[in-house]
Amino acid sequence: MKLFTGPLRRHDLRLLVTGSTVSLVGDGIYSIAMAVAVLHVAGTASALAAMAVINLVPRVAFGLLGGVLADRVSRRALLAVCDVVRLAVVGCLGLLLVSGTPPLWALLVLVAPLGAASGAAAPVFSAILSDLVEPDELVAANGLLSSVSPLAAMVVGPVLGGVLAAYDVGLALFVDAASFGVSALCVLLLRPMVVHDRGPRPLPWAHFREGLGYVRRTPWLATNLLAGLVITFTVSGTMTMLPFLVSRGYHAPAATFGYLLAVGGVAATLAAIVVSSRRPPRRPLAASYTTYALGLGSIAGLGLAPNLAVAAVCVAVFFVGATVGNVFQDSVLGSRVPRELRGRVSSLDWVAATAASPLSVVVAALAADHVGIRPTYVVAGLAAALASLAGLALLLHTGEPGAEDDASADVEAKAGAEAEAGVEAEAGVAAAVSESEVSQPA
């Protein structure tokens, strides 16, 4: 337990955990409140799907932009700006719903900038953690965040959102907006141990190419991105169909799926606490793919489960495997990627794990309608487990990074910057210097 709580001695990490937890509670409130609002305004499943897609597309696009910006400007300032934008957008949504029944298009228009701000913030949040703690504390710090996140976003937030939305949907969104205010305040109080230098940088496109080139030249990173893309495609849409599995497969009320998610949230929290209380494994990436295979394989069990009790066990195994794998993966990204590249690498990793979601939802829905919901889960779980094992095999073939690779990684990154940016950076040096000066925080 000392390993788990050790990083909390750092004031900045306590601030980050506090702001993140409050914000995630707000996210849970939002997920319930907006679903209630859209169903009240439009009353169709297609309206819910439209809201999800309109939020997701800018989220993916701005995830890449956020990664580039995270390596160019103050990560602290960038996170605060994203929080303030989300505060303003969610506040506007609350005003619309308090004042009456708005048209659906008005809600959908505001969902887009909310997705953009959330997408930009995701890689920045991942990158800034390694600026606040020492490398040997990253597993514990990631585990700490992973332990509070499921409880906040999947248990406390949805329960509170249901209570508030039953009283007034607009009020629920005002509470969510306030959560972003708390998060922004915590972020502004951070004092990272490492800050950006003010030297000239290549143009943004060259900067992005530098990060992409580093991933291409780093086999374990390329394996991570490819495996993440395939796993997302096999799993994301299937888990979206959980309410249909509950109602059609287990013949229970569709709302019961909320209890399954709560079980998963508790299991994820306990798993994060346990793994973070122990010393990290010698080969954390190999361990992550192994736990992914076990956890994702349990999705097949959901398709075979005879009742909700067995399904709850499968959901718990799924969240344990995914959580432990994520803790190890995030820790390696934070410790083995050079600091000046972490924002871009985190954004590429995050986008790879998100970009296939819309297509996955469509394929899962078609499969559920034409093949059946239970077979869809069995095939998806087996495919996801096989993708994890394939990632493990690729990793074992190419090799996992070790502590001795740190120095060569920095040299490789600098060499890659010259090779990738090259003529483009030289041609725009005056513009790059000017942009760099403007983009620095006051």
Side-chain angles (χ1 to χ4, degrees):
M1 187 60 68
K2 182 178 180 181
L3 283 173
F4 176 71
T5 58
L8 280 177
R9 72 180 187 276
R10 297 190 179 278
H11 176 69
D12 287 331
L13 184 62
R14 294 198 300 271
L15 283 172
L16 189 70
V17 170
T18 300
S20 172
T21 302
V22 172
S23 177
L24 286 169
V25 169
D27 289 346
I29 293 172
Y30 173 88
S31 65
I32 301 299
M34 279 302 291
V36 171
V38 170
L39 289 175
H40 176 70
V41 170
T44 63
S46 60
L48 283 175
M51 180 183 69
V53 171
I54 291 174
N55 179 273
L56 184 61
V57 171
R59 183 184 288 257
V60 173
F62 277 78
L64 293 173
L65 177 62
V68 173
L69 292 176
D71 293 333
R72 297 179 69 89
V73 301
S74 165
R75 292 168 182 168
R76 179 176 64 91
L78 192 54
L79 275 179
V81 168
C82 290
D83 279 335
V84 170
V85 170
R86 289 183 286 186
L87 184 158
V89 172
V90 176
C92 289
L93 285 169
L95 286 173
L96 283 176
L97 291 165
V98 164
S99 59
T101 302
L104 178 63
W105 65 264
L107 299 180
L108 296 182
V109 164
L110 287 171
V111 164
L114 185 63
S118 296
V124 185
F125 185 89
S126 177
I128 200 173
L129 180 61
S130 55
D131 296 343
L132 305 178
V133 299
E134 298 293 345
D136 60 354
E137 297 175 321
L138 276 171
V139 169
N142 276 304
L144 180 63
L145 288 167
S146 297
S147 67
V148 299
S149 296
L151 282 180
M154 297 168 56
V155 180
V156 178
V159 170
L160 184 56
V163 172
L164 292 173
Y167 178 75
D168 190 304
V169 176
L171 174 62
L173 290 174
F174 285 146
V175 174
D176 180 28
S179 74
F180 289 120
V182 174
S183 178
L185 179 61
C186 290
V187 167
L188 288 173
L189 293 174
L190 293 177
R191 293 295 179 267
M193 295 185 294
V194 184
V195 295
H196 284 277
D197 60 40
R198 293 180 178 270
R201 298 183 179 90
L203 295 172
W205 172 242
H207 221 199
F208 172 75
R209 286 178 56 198
E210 180 187 344
L212 187 61
Y214 177 77
V215 170
R216 288 204 310 263
R217 297 188 308 275
T218 310
W220 65 270
L221 273 175
T223 298
N224 276 13
L225 266 63
L226 179 61
L229 187 65
V230 176
I231 289 172
T232 298
F233 176 74
T234 57
V235 170
S236 179
T238 307
M239 295 308 292
T240 304
M241 299 291 117
L242 190 57
F244 295 95
L245 175 65
V246 169
S247 61
R248 296 180 186 178
Y250 308 141
H251 306 291
T256 310
F257 89 98
Y259 296 113
L260 292 179
L261 291 181
V263 169
V266 173
T269 298
L270 294 176
I273 292 174
V274 170
V275 74
S276 305
S277 300
R278 300 177 179 274
R279 297 199 176 279
R282 188 173 61 88
R283 305 189 68 178
L285 282 180
S288 73
Y289 281 112
T290 303
T291 58
Y292 280 153
L294 294 173
L296 297 173
S298 68
I299 293 176
L302 285 172
L304 300 172
N307 52 49
L308 282 173
V310 178
V313 174
C314 293
V315 168
V317 174
F318 166 68
F319 276 96
V320 167
T323 298
V324 174
N326 287 342
V327 169
F328 292 150
Q329 288 268 344
D330 292 343
S331 302
V332 174
L333 284 174
S335 60
R336 300 302 177 209
V337 176
R339 184 193 182 278
E340 64 272 15
L341 287 166
R342 284 173 192 158
R344 283 161 287 172
V345 171
S346 294
S347 70
L348 289 168
D349 182 69
W350 183 83
V351 167
T354 309
S357 292
L359 182 60
S360 177
V361 171
V362 173
V363 172
L366 291 173
D369 287 338
H370 292 86
V371 180
I373 189 66
R374 283 183 176 273
T376 298
Y377 268 78
V378 172
V379 172
L382 293 177
L386 287 174
S388 301
L389 293 175
L392 176 61
L394 280 174
L395 179 71
L396 294 177
H397 176 70
T398 59
E400 181 167 342
E404 67 275 9
D405 298 329
D406 288 347
S408 61
D410 286 337
V411 173
E412 183 183 16
K414 293 178 180 178
E418 296 173 0
E420 294 289 326
V423 175
E424 186 174 0
E426 293 177 8
V429 66
V433 172
S434 175
E435 182 178 354
S436 175
E437 291 173 352
V438 172
S439 63
Q440 296 302 319

